[in-house]
Amino acid sequence: MRLRPLHLVPMLAGMVMVGPVIAGLMGALLPAFGWLPVLGGEQISLAPMRELLAIPGLGRSVLLSLASGLVTTLLALLMVIGLLAGWSGTRLFRWLERLISPLLSIPHAAAALGLAFLFAPSGWLVRMVSPHLTGWSRPPDWLFPHDPYGLAMIAGLTIKEIPFLLLVSLAALPQVNPRAMTEVARSLGYGPVMGWLHAVWPRLYRQIRLPVFAVIAYASSVVDVALILGPTNPPPLAVQLTRWMSDPDLAMRFLASAGAILQLVVTLAALALWWGGERLAGWLTGCLVLSGVRFQRDDWLRRLAALLNMVVVAVMLWGLAGLVLWSFAGLWRFPEALPSALSLKIWQMQGGMLIEPLRNAVLIGGLATAIGLVLTLSVLEAESRLGEQAGRWSQLLVYLPLIVPQVAFLFGLQLIILSSGGAYSLWAMVLGHLVFVLPYVFLSLGDQWRALDPRYARMAASLGHSAWTTFWCLRLPLLTRPILTAAAVGFAVSIGQYLPTLLIGGGRWETITTEAVALSAGGNRRLIGVYALMQMLLPFCAFLIAMGLPALLFRNRRGMAPTTTR
């Protein structure tokens, strides 16, 4: 009987993650087939689906969504594979590893704005090569970003997904014993890169398969990055759905619901195509192994992987530096490489306007992160006391809110919240963010918690201490740094949420992210730079606290570094 409350804790966390997704899907499914009594839809009908299929340019929107999901994931995964295979354990790898958390904390919208500022026809890159190298006195006539093939959008998504895939790969790498496996492959005559690919990668991929699926789902249904970098006529499917959902004509809700179901089908199709690609890649790898080719001279692959990853880091940092510079720029005529003067004028003008978006972002993000952290610690402590770890199905539940497209269930969730009378409230906003914050907090903290040496708890029990004393006085202090890091990750995820804030808040909750994305459609780069810079600073401050606070608390206690079982 005493174990029953402990079993209820994982069930509660699972309901928080899965319940809104299932309810949202049901809330979108019924109006997609004409059933929404509050708007006069009292019978099942295929009219919304027929209207959707008759929309001009719908096929191109679907193809753009499919391409962005698959190509983004493939490029990001290839970059991570090259870095891990060629440079694991080296000084370059350790340097890039230190950049993961700062790069991961940058919201997608801020990174996309930085990329747009860098590669636009009048962007910083063109200014730095004009007019001395090109002779251009006016911006060139090219459509980038917003190119019709979505290349700018794919590039922006790829740059942002590399740190995420690298982080989850590093967390899973110790479980596959890469050094021993690589040594065996090298003893058989394989080169260092190909040996790693044959011996380590298949086992590692099984560990990170669900995060890869999450990247496919996100990239195929992203809204904020698509608004900043993607095509406009027609736009990707998720952007079109957001416009229908925000339309003042309530009759568009039926069309938006049908589109939400179509987006779900598109994402499932992308996952199915990826699954087929996995089968094909496995077959080709088997043929390559049977051929006996060893690829002993693969050093060029190592150098190419290092070059490409360093270019990605440089582009991201360069774009972000451009945001900072534009926020302080005075007069900056084309084709001057640098502004003629720096000024605080735009900051002084916008100082009062920033207060409400910043306050809302910190309030919603702080509450969602705190609740997510409490639920995560409760679940992990229950696991420790019960002696049970999350199985494969439990991991699937954690990733479900990340694999199901946001736009596919948030509209249905919005309708349910509206019907319940809790529309536009603070707690509705917190719930909308918590659905996405909780999985990231759990994934960030779970491995670190389970890796803590269990002998600490046994020693405490042998001295007569209760389980609660062990939790408060042993586990929490030893895991202070991972706990704060997980909280920083959750806060960064909340700050970057655009679609939940827009749909559930109904435009009544202004956050720094919604304002930055809205301003991206305008031409005031100084104003965009101010909001994008503030959007970056919020997660950066959270990670700074996560790194600095443990060092301050335990500056005289070197033994507080936890011992793990790995």
Side-chain angles (χ1 to χ4, degrees):
M1 295 295 294
R2 291 183 300 172
L3 295 180
R4 187 171 298 172
L6 295 179
H7 285 289
L8 292 177
V9 172
M11 293 175 59
L12 176 61
M15 289 176 60
V16 171
M17 287 186 288
V18 179
V21 176
I22 296 176
L25 288 175
M26 292 302 298
L29 182 63
L30 295 177
F33 291 95
W35 180 263
L36 190 57
V38 295
L39 294 182
E42 298 180 351
Q43 60 182 0
I44 301 298
S45 170
L46 293 177
M49 287 293 179
R50 295 193 191 99
E51 184 181 358
L52 174 67
L53 296 178
I55 295 293
L58 181 67
R60 188 172 181 84
S61 296
V62 168
L63 291 177
L64 284 170
S65 299
L66 273 175
S68 63
L70 294 173
V71 177
T72 294
T73 307
L74 179 62
L75 292 177
L77 200 59
L78 288 176
M79 298 285 282
V80 171
I81 291 172
L83 189 61
L84 290 172
W87 298 93
S88 295
T90 63
R91 183 178 301 178
L92 173 65
F93 188 80
R94 288 191 293 270
W95 176 75
L96 290 173
E97 194 173 358
R98 294 190 192 100
L99 291 174
I100 292 178
S101 292
L103 294 179
L104 194 61
S105 68
I106 298 170
H108 283 77
L113 287 169
L115 195 68
F117 279 16
L118 185 61
F119 290 104
S122 59
W124 201 7
L125 180 62
V126 176
R127 291 170 183 263
M128 294 191 75
V129 299
S130 302
H132 304 294
L133 297 180
T134 63
W136 292 335
S137 58
R138 295 182 180 180
D141 185 17
W142 66 47
L143 191 60
F144 192 93
H146 305 302
D147 61 283
Y149 300 104
L151 299 180
M153 179 177 65
I154 291 172
L157 288 170
T158 301
I159 289 174
K160 266 301 294 169
E161 296 305 333
I162 289 174
F164 171 69
L165 289 177
L166 184 58
L167 183 66
V168 296
S169 298
L170 289 175
L173 204 57
Q175 304 175 30
V176 299
N177 196 10
R179 178 174 297 181
M181 300 298 293
T182 304
E183 290 176 354
V184 171
R186 293 295 303 278
S187 69
L188 295 175
Y190 287 96
V193 175
M194 295 306 299
W196 191 94
L197 290 175
H198 283 306
V200 179
W201 174 242
R203 302 177 66 193
L204 177 63
Y205 181 74
R206 285 194 290 269
Q207 301 293 327
I208 67 168
R209 196 181 187 198
L210 286 177
V212 170
F213 286 176
V215 172
I216 296 173
Y218 177 81
S220 65
S221 60
V222 66
V223 175
D224 50 356
V225 177
L227 284 170
I228 297 168
L229 298 175
T232 57
N233 190 24
L237 181 59
V239 175
Q240 190 71 278
L241 294 182
T242 305
R243 293 174 181 173
W244 294 335
M245 291 176 185
S246 304
D247 197 293
D249 183 4
L250 296 180
M252 296 295 290
R253 298 300 189 268
F254 293 99
L255 180 62
S257 295
I261 300 303
L262 177 61
Q263 178 65 69
L264 178 62
V265 173
V266 169
T267 299
L268 292 176
L271 293 173
L273 289 172
W274 187 268
W275 179 84
E278 290 176 351
R279 307 278 82 75
L280 178 61
W283 178 77
L284 292 175
T285 302
C287 294
L288 189 62
V289 171
L290 293 176
S291 69
V293 179
R294 293 294 192 264
F295 295 101
Q296 295 180 349
R297 298 179 180 179
D298 56 10
D299 192 59
W300 65 274
L301 286 174
R302 296 179 70 247
R303 296 176 181 176
L304 179 62
L307 176 63
L308 292 177
N309 279 278
M310 292 175 67
V311 167
V312 166
V313 173
V315 166
M316 180 177 286
L317 296 179
W318 194 1
L320 298 178
L323 290 178
V324 176
L325 188 60
W326 268 108
S327 69
F328 293 100
L331 183 63
W332 193 354
R333 294 191 181 96
F334 187 90
E336 295 173 352
L338 294 173
S340 57
L342 298 179
S343 172
L344 292 174
K345 181 179 179 180
I346 191 69
W347 285 94
Q348 293 170 349
M349 293 173 58
Q350 293 296 318
M353 303 295 291
L354 284 167
I355 294 176
E356 184 177 358
L358 285 174
R359 183 182 65 236
N360 290 340
V362 172
L363 178 62
I364 297 169
L367 289 174
T369 302
I371 296 172
L373 193 60
V374 169
L375 286 173
T376 298
L377 290 173
S378 301
V379 171
L380 293 173
E381 177 64 13
E383 282 186 6
S384 300
R385 297 190 191 184
L386 294 172
E388 300 175 358
Q389 288 194 9
R392 192 68 177 175
W393 285 105
S394 299
Q395 294 180 11
L396 181 60
L397 292 180
V398 172
Y399 276 99
L400 187 64
L402 309 181
I403 293 177
V404 177
Q406 290 186 2
V407 75
F409 72 89
L410 279 177
F411 176 58
L413 187 62
Q414 179 196 40
L415 292 178
I416 293 174
I417 293 175
L418 286 171
S419 303
S420 66
Y424 317 129
S425 66
L426 172 62
W427 293 109
M429 293 294 300
V430 172
L431 174 63
H433 282 231
L434 182 61
V435 174
F436 306 102
V437 168
L438 182 56
Y440 280 102
V441 173
F442 191 87
L443 294 170
S444 300
L445 184 58
D447 287 339
Q448 296 287 338
W449 183 280
R450 298 181 185 112
L452 184 67
D453 197 327
R455 290 176 294 182
Y456 286 119
R458 295 172 192 158
M459 186 181 299
S462 69
L463 295 174
H465 293 291
S466 66
W468 281 113
T469 302
T470 302
F471 174 76
W472 288 107
C473 300
L474 192 65
R475 285 197 177 97
L476 290 189
L478 284 174
L479 293 170
T480 298
R481 188 184 298 274
I483 290 172
L484 290 177
T485 301
V489 170
F491 184 73
V493 170
S494 177
I495 293 298
Q497 293 302 314
Y498 170 73
L499 198 59
T501 308
L502 180 68
L503 294 182
I504 296 178
R508 303 186 186 187
W509 287 85
E510 296 178 353
T511 66
I512 203 70
T513 297
T514 59
E515 293 300 291
V517 175
L519 289 169
S520 67
N524 193 334
R525 292 185 178 178
R526 294 171 181 83
L527 189 57
I528 296 172
V530 168
Y531 279 83
L533 181 57
M534 293 306 301
Q535 191 193 22
M536 289 190 296
L537 286 179
L538 288 177
F540 179 78
C541 290
F543 277 95
L544 195 63
I545 294 172
M547 291 185 291
L549 188 58
L552 181 64
L553 292 175
F554 306 130
R555 60 187 181 278
N556 298 321
R557 296 178 176 87
R558 293 184 178 179
M560 290 302 293
T563 302
T564 66
T565 56
R566 292 177 183 174

